[in-house]
Amino acid sequence: MSKGKSDLNISVIISFILILSSLLVGCTNANNEESTSKGHHDNMITIAWPRDVGEMNPHVYNPSQLFAQSMVYEPLVSYQDGGEIKPQLAKSWEISDDGKVYTFHLRQGVKFSDGTNFNAEIVKKNFDAILKHTELHSWLGFITKIARTDVIDENTFKLTLTEPYYPTIQELAVVRPVRFLGEAGFPKDGDTSKGIAKSVGTGPWILDKYKTDEYAIFKRNENYWGELPKVEKIKVKVIPDAETRVLAFEKGELDLIYGEGVISLDTFKQLESTGKYETSISDPVATRQLVMNTKTEQLSDERVRQALQYGFNKGAMVEGVTSGLEEKADHILSTNLPYTKDIEVKSVKYDVEKAKSLLDKAGWKLPKGKTVREKDGKPLEVELMYDSAESIQKAMAETLQAEWATIGVKLNIVGVELTEQVQRFKDNKFDINFFSNYGAPYDPHTFLNIVASEGFGFNEAISAYPNKDELIKQMVKVPQTTDEKERQQLYSSILKSLQDQGAIIPISYIKKTAIYQKDVKNFKFPANRDENPFTGISIKE
C-alpha cells in the first residue's frame, strides 16, 4: 500500500460522524442571562442553536460547535468564494518548489483578546499541542505529513512536510484543529486535548456570558485587528426542538435561524410565504449522493446502474421532496468547489423505456405475470439504507422505491441511526447508501481521499470499475502534484470516470437556509461551510 493511501484510515470515518453531527447542529461558571424584550436589541443579534456551544476549545471536536469556535479563533489563511485562499493571521506565504516547505509571514500588531501578542512562538505552541495527538487529527491529510515546525523570527513561521501535499494551504483554513489559542488558554501541561484554561483567541468575538445548555453571549472584541463586527453582541439560545425554535422566532424572541436542518424545509417555505420575514438560501454546500456497492451481484453490471439512473425522475423528486429549495445535481461535486468546473459527464435524463432496454440487455428479464425482473432465477432486488432521522433521505427513498418498481426493480428501504449507517457503509454491508461530501473547505481532495481509502464503502462501490486500480493511483497522486495544470487534468479525469460508470449518483445540492427578522441586514453565508455569518450582519434601528 502506498504512503498516501495508508494515511487514510478509520479516523476518516470518525471525522465524518463528527462533522455531520456538528453541521446538523470551556467556561464553567454560570452567569445571569441578559434580558431582552421584543423590539429592543441593544445592538445584539439573538439566534437559536440545537446544542450547547461546547467548551470552546479550538483543538478538539464535539461537543464544541464549529460556528462558535470560528467566532473566537482564527486560522493562518481563510477560504473564500470559489476556493480562493486569502490571508488571515498570515499576511503572506511562500511554498517551496518541491511543495514541502511553507513559510508564513505573520500579520503584525495582532493581539489576543487578553492583550497578549500573536507571534510565531504561539503559532508553534499551538502546532505542538496538536501534534501531540496526531491520531486524533490524522483525518486532516497534512497533519501526518508534518516533519517539523520552526520559528524563524517573531513574525515568521515555517512548516516542513515529509512529502508534497498541495491541500495543506486549504486544510489550514478549516475551523479545527489548526486555529490559535492564546498563552493564557493553555493548561499547565500544555495538553489542550484534555481541556483549556480559558477561551482566548484573536477573533472578532469573545465569549462573555455562558450557562450550560441554556445560552452563550459573545461580545465584540473591541481590539480586533480586522474589520469590527457591526453588532456588539451575539446571543446563542440553546433550543434543541425545531418547533420550539420556530415559535420563539415568530414571537420575536429570535432574530435569526440559520444552518442545515435547523428547521424543516416545509416550515421555511411557510414562514417565507407570509412575507413577514427575510430569507436567504446558500450556494451548494454539499452534494446528496447515492452510492451503489458494485460487489452486490445485481449492481455489478454498469448497464443496471445506468438503468437505475434513467429510471427515476430526479428533477421532479428533488423539487417535490425539498419544496424547490435544493436543486437537481448534475455533478457528484458541486462546481463552486476548486477543480470541479467544466467537467463533462454523461447526461442522464429520465427515460423509462431506455431504463427497461438497458435492463433487458443486461439479462434482467420481466417474467410474464410478475412485477420484478429476474436473471438466472434471482430477482432484481436491492436494499437502500438511509438515516432514519433525516426526513429528506426517507422521502427520497420512498420515491425511488415507487419509481424503480415501474421498471421491474424491487427496492427495499431501511432506516437506521446515523452511527449504524456509517458503520455499515464502512463494513461494506450495504447495497445502496445515501452519502454527502464534506463541502468547503475540505473538498475536492477530501472526497477523493475517502473514495481511495480502504475501510470505507466507496472502495467497494467502485470495485467493478475496470479502471479501479488506475483511478486509485491517480487519487493518491493528486495531492502530491505541484503542477497546477496536471492537478486539474487529474481531477477532471477522476471525477468524470467516477460518475460516468454509475456507482456514485448525484441527487441534489444541499443548501443552508436562513430566515430573519426584517430589521436584520447584510446577512451573508460564508464560503466556508463551517464558519459563522455574523461579521457583516447589522440591525436597522
Side-chain angles (χ1 to χ4, degrees), residues 322-508:
T322 73
S323 303
L325 292 178
E326 292 184 10
E327 62 184 275
K328 175 175 68 73
D330 294 321
H331 297 268
I332 55 178
L333 294 181
S334 61
T335 56
N336 61 343
L337 293 169
Y339 305 106
T340 59
K341 295 178 178 64
D342 303 321
I343 298 176
E344 293 185 6
V345 294
K346 289 179 183 177
S347 177
V348 179
K349 296 181 180 179
Y350 180 48
D351 189 334
V352 170
E353 294 309 311
K354 186 164 186 175
K356 291 178 178 179
S357 174
L358 283 166
L359 292 174
D360 285 337
K361 290 175 182 177
W364 293 95
K365 306 293 185 178
L366 187 62
K368 188 173 182 180
K370 293 190 176 183
T371 58
V372 179
R373 291 174 179 267
E374 295 179 2
K375 182 179 180 180
D376 300 328
K378 292 182 179 179
L380 186 46
E381 180 177 357
V382 289
E383 180 185 271
L384 169 59
M385 176 174 59
Y386 67 90
D387 178 0
S388 57
E390 236 270 34
S391 60
I392 291 176
Q393 285 187 22
K394 182 176 186 293
M396 287 184 173
E398 290 170 344
T399 302
L400 290 168
Q401 185 181 52
E403 295 218 56
W404 285 346
T406 64
I407 60 172
V409 178
K410 184 179 181 183
L411 181 67
N412 301 316
I413 60 175
V414 55
V416 298
E417 291 185 358
L418 176 62
T419 51
E420 182 181 347
Q421 184 184 28
V422 173
Q423 189 63 41
R424 282 186 56 183
F425 193 39
K426 165 189 169 291
D427 293 339
N428 302 308
K429 294 179 179 177
F430 74 100
D431 294 335
I432 308 176
N433 181 42
F434 278 104
F435 182 85
S436 65
N437 61 299
Y438 287 1
Y442 308 95
D443 290 326
H445 67 275
T446 301
F447 179 71
L448 294 196
N449 284 353
I450 293 170
V451 175
S453 172
E454 289 188 357
F456 210 86
F458 279 104
N459 205 271
E460 298 296 299
I462 64 172
S463 60
Y465 284 18
N467 64 336
K468 177 188 174 181
D469 290 343
E470 179 58 29
L471 275 174
I472 298 294
K473 287 178 184 177
Q474 290 179 344
M475 290 180 211
V476 172
K477 183 180 180 181
V478 170
Q480 300 170 346
T481 56
T482 55
D483 181 82
E484 185 77 12
K485 186 176 180 181
E486 180 186 8
R487 193 182 303 151
Q488 179 64 72
Q489 289 173 342
L490 283 168
Y491 270 121
S492 297
S493 173
I494 293 166
L495 291 171
K496 175 177 173 57
S497 187
L498 285 175
Q499 182 167 338
D500 281 352
Q501 295 182 72
I504 306 172
I505 303 175
I507 298 295
S508 62

Side-chain angles (χ1 to χ4, degrees), residues 37-39 244-255 271 277 517:
S37 59
K38 186 173 181 178
T244 306
R245 287 194 289 274
V246 172
L247 288 173
F249 178 77
E250 291 182 305
K251 290 177 182 178
E253 296 169 3
L254 300 175
D255 298 300
L271 291 172
Y277 312 109
Q517 307 291 350

